[in-house]
Each structure stands twice: as structure tokens, then as C-alpha cells.
Amino acid sequence: MFFRHATAVLALAAFSLGAAHAQELKISHQWKANVDGRDLATRVFVQEVTKADPSLKFRIYPASSLGIKPVAQLDALQNGTLEMAVFPMSYAVGKADEFSIIIMPGTVPTLGHAMKLRGTPFQAKLQELAEKNGVHIVTWWWTPGAFATKEREVTGPKSVDGLKMRAADPTFEVMLKAAGASVVSMPSTEIYPSLQSGVINGTLTSAETFVSMRLYEQTKFATVPSQYSLWMLLQPLVMSKQHWDKLTPAQKKIFEAAAAKSDEYFLGLQKDAVDKMEEAYKKAGAKIHEMTQPEYEQWVALAKETAWKEYASKSATAKELLDLLIAVK
């Protein structure tokens, strides 16, 4: 009897240790700790979760310190070796072309519009796509983006003719090519050295990345998204679907509540990010341009004929996502 009791106690202890270990969640991302908003909002999310459930433990690995390259984070999430990541969803287009929807030019002109998308059929369909590809979208973090170049200011589409640019998504690149630019694909961590070496002479990325990665040191002309953002990217905190499914219903509710808190915090940071970008470029002696409504409309007209058509032709899912997105006014 004693032997069986002792065996049961040991088994329970082993199970408890295993469960505790399983609850320590790694979060990976590519940005600087305690500087970039994506890192700061991650810490808000963690704080809110652990306040509600102290049994959940997290370890954040900023600046790719876990040793996983930005795009490769998706593989690690899919196979379950990585629990969570802040992941620009455009990096997933290698797995499914439909992910280009989260950076489709001219569809999400402002942060206010981005937040209107929460709770819509578009968000539900996007979550369905994400889960089919092994990840669950936890937060709703959108980043407004901008143009910056070494040679000239970007206004309407004709102004990028002859530039070598980075845009962060193949469908976006289709539009730039139609405007006469050549394009190079790379994660944001490679933009600075690529500008420095001349691999590219212009780029599109988030306003925050221009500051946190000091891209103002390598570019002299910036078109800021004060009124209109042609480039708006969903860069959420995501979770491996395997690990999301292991959470209890109560824990999922805690995650959702923490995500809502982090969403509002992140929104405030992004409103400030455009001002900080403009300030950083002015201090660097660069020329600032605010895209006008006619310029924005020229870009949207080109996007509809190039990026939108290219994307909608990819699959029925792509067409449905685009229709759902543009239906939100």
C-alpha cells in the first residue's frame, strides 16, 4: 500500500513539474528591448496575464536573441518549438499568399480604421487563415508606415521610378514595379545595412522602425503618414496554435483581456510614432513630405489596378478577405 501511495505521489509530482515547465512561454521578436513599441506592448501583455494567472510564466527574447531569424519564427511556431512571437504577418506569405491582405496598399488608411476591423468578419476570416497555418493571432497591433529614400522625396507613383526599394510584401511590390521601381525582399533587420551598402536606395517600413533602427541615418527624404498611410501592417503578438490549444478556457479569456489592454497601449504608441519619426528626420537634417490627398488617391488607383487585382486572383480565400476588408468603412 505504501509503495503504491509513494508511486502515485511521485507520479503526481512529475506531472506537476512537467505542467509547470510547459507553462513557461517563450516570446521572440526582432526589436530592441524597452525601446521599440512592439517590445513595450509585449511587456504590457505579459504583465496583464501574469497578474491574472501567476502560474503562467513568460520569457521575452528581444532583438532576435533566441537565435531564430525573423521570418523563420513562423516555422518554429508551427512546429511548437516556439510558443509566441511578435510577427509581422507579411512574413508568412511564403506559407500562404493570402497573408498579403494585412499590408494591402490603400485599404487601411489610418489607425482608427485599423481598430474598426476588430470584431468584424474580416478579422474572423484572417484568424481562420492564421490557424490553418499553425498560429493564433492574439493581439491587434497595426503600424503605420512611410517612405524614405536616399535620393528624392516620394510623392505620387511617378516619383519612385528608378528607385531600388524594399516594401515588405510581394503584392505591394507588384504596385511599386508598375510605378517603375525595382524591389528587393528582406526583413526590417536588413534594411539599414542594405541602404548603407547601396543594395537599396529607398524603403517602406513602419514609422517606429525608422526610429528604433535609426534608418534616418541612411535616408535623407521621408514621406510621413500624417494624414494617409499607404503602408499599414498588422504586426501582432501571435501564439503557436499547438500551445494556444493547450490553454484552458479561463486562460484563453485572460489572454484575450490582456490583448485588449495591450491593443490600446500599442495604439497610443503608434499615434506618437509618426511624430517621433518626423522629429528624428528633422533632427537629422532630412527633408520631410506629408502625402497629399491627390497623391494618396493616385497610389490607391494604382493599387486597385495592380496589387488588389494580383491578390484577388490568387484564390477564393484571397478574394473573400479583400472583399471583407474593403467592406469596412
Side-chain angles (χ1 to χ4, degrees):
M1 177 69 75
F2 174 81
F3 176 78
R4 279 191 292 178
H5 177 70
T7 302
V9 169
L10 288 170
L12 180 60
F15 174 81
S16 299
L17 285 170
H21 177 72
Q23 293 297 303
E24 183 169 278
L25 307 173
K26 300 183 296 296
I27 304 178
S28 172
H29 69 73
Q30 70 199 71
W31 296 281
K32 290 182 179 180
N34 301 308
V35 174
D36 192 278
R38 286 154 287 204
D39 178 83
L40 295 171
T42 298
R43 296 176 192 278
V44 168
F45 171 82
V46 167
Q47 181 181 352
E48 291 296 321
V49 172
T50 53
K51 188 165 60 176
D53 185 349
S55 72
L56 290 165
K57 307 296 180 185
F58 297 85
R59 185 173 298 180
I60 301 169
Y61 293 85
S64 301
S65 55
L66 192 56
I68 306 174
K69 291 184 178 180
V71 178
Q73 289 177 133
L74 182 56
D75 290 320
L77 290 161
Q78 288 177 325
N79 64 34
T81 55
L82 175 63
E83 290 84 2
M84 301 186 76
V86 184
F87 189 71
M89 297 304 292
S90 59
Y91 290 0
V93 294
K95 302 286 185 179
D97 291 336
E98 291 85 355
F99 280 113
S100 286
I101 194 63
I102 51 68
I103 193 176
M104 191 62 57
T107 55
V108 187
T110 65
L111 285 167
H113 190 93
M115 302 318 287
K116 283 182 183 178
L117 298 171
R118 283 191 302 188
T120 65
F122 168 74
Q123 185 187 27
K125 188 66 180 179
L126 182 63
Q127 186 71 272
E128 180 185 314
L129 174 66
E131 293 192 347
K132 281 182 180 177
N133 285 275
V135 294
H136 179 84
I137 298 170
V138 178
T139 65
W140 199 241
W141 299 347
W142 289 80
T143 53
F147 290 92
T149 78
K150 298 170 78 79
E151 297 183 0
R152 68 181 90 122
E153 71 179 14
V154 173
T155 55
K158 290 180 181 178
S159 66
V160 302
D161 188 20
L163 292 177
K164 295 180 290 184
M165 303 194 73
R166 180 265 187 185
D169 177 78
T171 308
F172 214 113
E173 291 167 1
V174 168
M175 182 187 70
L176 290 177
K177 287 178 183 178
S182 58
V183 297
V184 182
S185 179
M186 65 184 71
S188 58
T189 48
E190 296 176 20
I191 298 174
Y192 190 103
S194 296
L195 287 165
Q196 193 172 37
S197 65
V199 171
I200 56 175
N201 54 19
T203 188
L204 277 150
T205 192
S206 68
E208 184 141 34
T209 295
F210 278 110
V211 177
S212 67
M213 294 189 174
R214 306 191 321 277
L215 301 183
Y216 52 81
E217 294 177 354
Q218 295 298 324
T219 49
K220 299 302 177 186
F221 300 87
T223 300
V224 296
S226 301
Q227 296 291 331
Y228 307 98
S229 184
L230 187 71
W231 191 102
M232 185 79 75
L233 173 62
L234 179 64
Q235 304 193 52
L237 186 59
V238 300
M239 190 168 193
S240 165
K241 180 68 163 54
Q242 293 180 39
H243 291 282
W244 174 258
D245 289 342
K246 290 177 184 176
L247 296 177
T248 66
Q251 287 173 331
K252 288 179 180 178
K253 286 184 178 180
I254 288 169
F255 270 51
E256 288 164 357
K261 287 280 185 70
S262 74
D263 287 352
E264 296 310 311
Y265 174 78
F266 191 75
L267 177 62
L269 292 181
Q270 294 314 299
K271 288 176 178 177
D272 292 338
V274 175
D275 293 336
K276 289 181 178 178
M277 176 191 172
E278 187 170 348
E279 181 183 347
Y281 269 92
K282 283 180 178 176
K283 283 184 178 178
K287 186 173 181 182
I288 302 294
H289 176 71
E290 291 186 13
M291 188 173 288
T292 66
Q293 184 175 350
E295 289 166 359
Y296 178 76
E297 288 173 353
Q298 288 170 28
W299 277 110
V300 173
L302 179 61
K304 288 179 179 179
E305 292 301 313
T306 56
W308 292 25
K309 280 188 177 179
E310 170 84 7
Y311 178 77
S313 70
K314 290 182 182 296
S315 69
T317 297
K319 186 177 186 309
E320 183 180 358
L321 279 165
L322 182 58
D323 289 343
L324 290 171
L325 176 56
I326 62 179
V328 180
K329 302 298 183 183

